[in-house]
Amino acid sequence: MRKITLKIDGMQCGMCEAHVNDAVRGAFPVKKVTSSHSKGETVILAEQEIDERTLRDVIGRTGYEVCSVSSEPYEKRGLFSGLRK
């Protein structure tokens, strides 16, 4: 699982967040996508790495600009994930 964090310029409200989220969901097989206009950020959880050029193009078509992309392995943190026997 990958956590992909995008810094996005131009989001001003909740509808902007929805436009970005819908565009990502429509173009890629993602587990979860959330956006925050106040942080200027979108976070995507996906099983596979997503091509950065395609991601920038998909979001660019919505009228927003991707300023940066970072990707890291993602491990789900559950209630008992920190416990050891």
Side-chain angles (χ1 to χ4, degrees):
M1 184 87 73
R2 302 294 300 173
K3 177 181 176 184
I4 303 159
T5 305
L6 313 171
K7 291 295 183 182
I8 298 179
D9 187 38
M11 291 192 296
Q12 301 293 321
C13 64
M15 283 304 295
C16 297
E17 297 168 357
H19 288 139
V20 170
N21 293 346
D22 290 345
V24 170
R25 281 189 201 102
F28 307 102
V30 299
K31 292 289 186 184
K32 184 176 181 180
V33 58
T34 55
S35 295
S36 169
H37 70 277
S38 60
K39 293 180 182 178
E41 182 177 273
T42 295
V43 177
I44 301 167
L45 297 181
E47 291 290 339
Q48 303 289 325
E49 192 66 52
I50 295 175
D51 179 66
E52 182 177 334
R53 180 179 288 171
T54 307
L55 187 57
R56 286 177 180 272
D57 183 51
V58 165
I59 292 175
R61 281 186 254 140
T62 64
Y64 308 102
E65 180 185 355
V66 177
C67 299
S68 69
V69 178
S70 64
S71 179
E72 61 187 316
Y74 175 77
E75 291 183 25
K76 186 174 181 179
R77 293 184 176 95
L79 181 61
F80 301 107
S81 63
L83 300 177
R84 295 179 186 222
K85 290 185 176 186

